[in-house]
Structures are given as structure tokens and as C-alpha cells.
Amino acid sequence: MSSDPLIRTINLCRYYRRGQSEVRAVDTVSLAVNRNEFVSVVGSSGSGKSTLLNLLAGLDTPSGGEIEIDGTPLGSRSRRELSTYRARRVGIVFQSFNLIAHYTALQNVEAALLFNHTPPRERHRLASAILDRLGLADRMTHRPADLSGGEQQRVALARAIVKHPEILFADEPTGNLDEDNSRQIVELLADLNRSGLTVVMVTHNLDLARTYAQRIIRMHYGRVVDDALVGGPAQ
Ligand SMILES: Nc1ncnc2c1ncn2[C@@H]1O[C@H](COP(=O)(O)OP(=O)(O)OP(=O)(O)O)[C@@H](O)[C@H]1O
Ligand SMILES: [Mg+2]
């Protein structure tokens, strides 16, 4: 049924054992994200936002509970199916960028298109176009070390969206940007969302979340303590 959620978690848990004690980074989280929603995840530092995103993106394995994508448990997929899920359907902007240090900005973005054998010329065209759109036309040959934090963040976003994923998981995609750039980036995400992209964005910027997201999920000590619709942008 088309009203079925794209992502659903059922009592999702991720615990870290530290000697005798246990950190409940994600603790019995049950939530749903509908297709074509723009959801923001907020909460104080250490509340489990990045851990939750990594689980949803198939980069980490739950300690308990389940994640369903399109009604199919992620846990039931083979390693190969999981890497296909990550490569084709999901775009991820990591909080710490995770750019390849010895690649240029352009090569970092092109690399996201290697999975489906896009011809080199086409990879170049698509990657340059998206970097241009993100205001990095004159930074394409820079390596990450020769880019500012905000520029690296935009390269990381370009890499995540160049392959036209179905779901974008963005962990603080504006964490290193000034107010103007932050707004521009989130407006771009809202644009992509209007053309069908499902967005899950972690942010500390409540104003941006309230302006652009349709729903805000608040985490506290690994749990979802609030999950409420907001106005979202005027359509
Ligand atoms: N590998 C690990 N081993 C042990 N504890 C961990 C590990 N990774 C994360 N944690 C703990 O899990 C909790 C949640 O971490 P997480 O990175 O998900 O928080 P966050 O909400 O993303 O915080 P921030 O806003 O600072 O990015 C934190 O208390 C953290 O210390
Ligand atoms: Mg985090």
C-alpha cells in the first residue's frame, strides 16, 4: 500500500558496552518515516541522533529491535543486498564528512557514481553540475585538506545527492556553515524533497527544522521523547 511508511523501526536499540556499564545510545525507538517526508531529528549532544542515522542507513547493526525499509527488515538482507541498499537508495552526509583525503572534491563526488558503472564522462558531468549548484565550481580540484569546513560539508552533500538517492540521511549538514549558507543548503534539500526525495536531517538548528521540515523528532538519552508535525514551508 502506498501509505505504508518507507522506513519503520520497531523497538530499535543500539547499546555500547563499556566495561561494567552500558551506554544506551538508541533505546527502544519505534518510529516511521513516510515516503517523501522531510523529517528533522533534534536533541542534545549524545542523545543518539548519529547512532540512529547510522542504523537507518544500514551502516551499523542494532543490538535489538528491527528496521524495515519498504516493509522488509534490513536485518534479513544479505551483505550484498545491504551494500546495494546503501549504494543505490541511500545518500548519507556524515557529521564528520568522511571525504577521501587524496581525492579532489570532484573525484570525491564522482566516486559516488562508480557503483552503477556510469561512464567516466557522465560521472564528470553530473559531479561538476552538482558542485556548481552548491557554489563550489572553483574548488573542484581542491583536496579536502585545502577546503574550509563549510566547503567540505558541501562536497559531502554533493556526494550524497549526485546519484539521486531515494532517501537522504544528513547528519548536521549545516553544522559548519554560516546562516546564509545553512539556509541555502536546507532550501536545496527542501527542493529535492519536493521532487520526491525523502529527507531525514539531524540538526541543532531548530529554526531551520521548524521552517523546512514537516516533522520534528526529538531524542533524549537514546529515546524519542517527542514526534510532532510542524507547519513546514508554504507550498
Ligand atoms: N563506539 C561507541 N562506544 C561507546 N559509546 C558510544 C560509541 N559511539 C557513541 N557512543 C555514545 O552513544 C551516545 C550517542 O552518541 P551519538 O553520536 O549518537 O550522539 P549524537 O546525538 O549524534 O550527539 P552529537 O549531537 O554530539 O553529534 C553518546 O553518549 C556517545 O558517547
Ligand atoms: Mg551526532
Side-chain angles (χ1 to χ4, degrees):
M1 242 167 61
S2 62
S3 60
D4 284 350
L6 178 56
I7 304 167
R8 189 207 304 270
T9 74
I10 305 144
N11 293 330
L12 186 64
C13 299
R14 178 64 168 102
Y15 300 160
Y16 295 109
R17 188 157 286 289
R18 294 253 127 196
Q20 295 290 70
S21 68
E22 192 174 58
V23 177
R24 302 191 163 201
V26 168
D27 192 8
T28 53
V29 166
S30 298
L31 56 78
V33 177
N34 293 319
R35 205 173 295 280
N36 203 16
E37 249 193 319
F38 188 150
V39 175
S40 242
V41 180
V42 303
S44 51
S45 182
S47 58
K49 306 178 298 293
S50 296
T51 307
L52 175 67
L53 234 59
N54 285 339
L55 289 167
L56 298 180
L59 292 165
D60 191 9
T61 311
S63 314
E66 264 187 21
I67 302 164
E68 291 177 358
I69 305 294
D70 272 337
T72 308
L74 262 194
S76 72
R77 295 177 196 218
S78 65
R79 283 172 65 142
R80 197 196 174 94
E81 284 168 336
L82 262 186
S83 58
T84 305
Y85 166 68
R86 287 193 301 259
R88 291 176 191 265
R89 301 185 66 182
V90 165
I92 308 163
V93 182
F94 293 95
Q95 191 165 10
S96 47
F97 316 134
N98 293 7
L99 297 173
I100 300 171
H102 61 278
Y103 278 11
T104 64
L106 185 64
Q107 289 167 334
N108 264 285
V109 180
E110 285 175 344
L113 296 167
L114 285 170
F115 70 94
N116 63 355
H117 312 294
T118 310
R121 234 172 223 278
E122 186 65 359
R123 287 205 298 270
H124 185 276
R125 192 184 67 77
L126 292 168
S128 326
I130 195 81
L131 284 167
D132 190 21
R133 187 164 176 196
L134 288 169
L136 293 168
D138 55 355
R139 293 289 184 274
M140 295 201 199
T141 58
H142 287 224
R143 291 192 165 70
D146 304 323
L147 292 167
S148 74
E151 288 166 346
Q152 289 178 56
Q153 189 149 44
R154 282 179 281 158
V155 176
L157 176 61
R159 180 183 57 182
I161 61 181
V162 71
K163 61 187 175 182
H164 294 291
E166 201 176 320
I167 315 168
L168 179 73
F169 295 111
D171 201 347
E172 302 246 23
T174 64
N176 289 273
L177 303 179
D178 57 50
E179 209 174 307
D180 271 0
N181 272 299
S182 298
R183 197 159 284 277
Q184 276 175 31
I185 290 293
V186 183
E187 266 170 18
L188 170 69
L189 297 187
D191 252 10
L192 294 169
N193 171 251
R194 278 188 285 271
S195 10
L197 180 71
T198 302
V199 180
V200 181
M201 177 181 79
V202 169
T203 186
H204 280 289
N205 189 327
L206 258 185
D207 276 351
L208 283 181
R210 287 200 188 102
T211 309
Y212 294 99
Q214 291 141 15
R215 188 148 61 91
I216 300 182
I217 293 173
R218 179 177 295 279
M219 294 188 73
H220 191 61
Y221 289 114
R223 290 180 172 251
V224 169
V225 291
D226 194 29
D227 183 342
L229 292 173
V230 284
Q235 301 268 342

